[in-house]
Amino acid sequence: MAEFTLYIGNKCFSSWSLRPWLAMRHLEIPFEERLVRLRTPETAANLAKVSPTGQVPVLAHKPLNQNGRIIWETLAILEYLADLYPEKNLWPADIGARALARSAATEMHSGFREVRYGWPMNLRRPKGHKPLDAEGESQRARIEALWRECREKYGQGGPFLFGHFTAADAMYAPVVTRFETYGGTLAADTRAYVDAMLSMPAMREWYAEAAREPWPEPGPDE
Ligand SMILES: N[C@@H](CCC(=O)N[C@@H](CS)C(=O)NCC(=O)O)C(=O)O
């Protein structure tokens, strides 16, 4: 039995689920995954069995000879993994880079509402430019400026926000898919970051599994 079980929602659209799943797969932390299908009449009852908040993702950790732990909330799961695996550098080592990465990750966790609602994650939706409302466009510009700042200050060592893959990249992974689906022609540096994220083997795996999901949700126009 795997030490970790990660409960997630539909790969097509469960943006919060993608974040810890991507981090664990990319960092080669073995886990068992259990998918709770969202947006059905049984969803609330099924989530109540595994999640204290009725939401996914949830990480169950059963260290040998210890009582199991349940960790919920995406950022808490990423922090837990960072604590358990310091050698995987889920946060940047440099304190300035780490502070910026944590600020960016937290800004994502609590913000960009108009981008999230205007561009709902849907990995089966055909690509096509969809303008956001004025607030959404301003949030989109803020995201791009933030990615630029991270890359310019700390991105020299690789294609991710802080060079190597960090929790900040995990937090922005669903937004990356939204830029790809709805963003149209992207600025060159945004395009390069989006391409780097989308070409991660773990991201390709998530997309492929989303494409194979047999369920109809979400609706074709979403
Ligand atoms: N603040 C939570 C948000 C989690 C969340 O909103 N999850 C959605 C799926 S992406 C969910 O479980 N929704 C319940 C439902 O659709 O019934 C986190 O950071 O993990």
Side-chain angles (χ1 to χ4, degrees), residues 14-17 38-39 43 47 54-57 73-75 109:
S14 182
S15 54
W16 293 101
S17 302
L38 303 178
R39 302 184 193 170
T43 295
L47 286 175
Q55 294 185 321
V56 279
E73 287 290 323
T74 300
L75 266 178
H109 191 261

Side-chain angles (χ1 to χ4, degrees), residues 7 48 64 77 80 100-101 110 123 133 135 147 158 166 168 171 193 195 209 214 220:
Y7 294 90
L64 288 179
I77 295 171
Y80 185 67
L100 180 57
S110 62
L123 302 191
D133 64 16
E135 183 55 29
W147 288 351
T166 66
M171 286 302 292
Y193 176 60
D195 285 346
E209 288 170 6

Side-chain angles (χ1 to χ4, degrees), residues 139-210:
Q139 291 174 7
R140 173 203 167 132
R142 166 67 191 148
I143 291 168
E144 293 190 80
L146 183 56
W147 288 351
R148 201 162 292 133
E149 180 184 353
C150 297
R151 296 267 320 130
E152 281 172 7
K153 284 189 175 152
Y154 298 108
Q156 293 77 18
F160 298 107
L161 294 177
F162 295 86
H164 69 278
F165 179 86
T166 66
D169 299 295
M171 286 302 292
Y172 281 92
V175 169
V176 161
T177 76
R178 291 163 154 118
F179 271 82
E180 176 70 359
T181 305
Y182 303 100
T185 305
L186 305 178
D189 54 353
T190 300
R191 180 77 259 162
Y193 176 60
V194 167
D195 285 346
M197 290 289 289
L198 293 180
S199 61
M200 293 172 69
M203 193 71 130
R204 301 313 318 154
E205 187 185 340
W206 177 280
Y207 261 85
E209 288 170 6

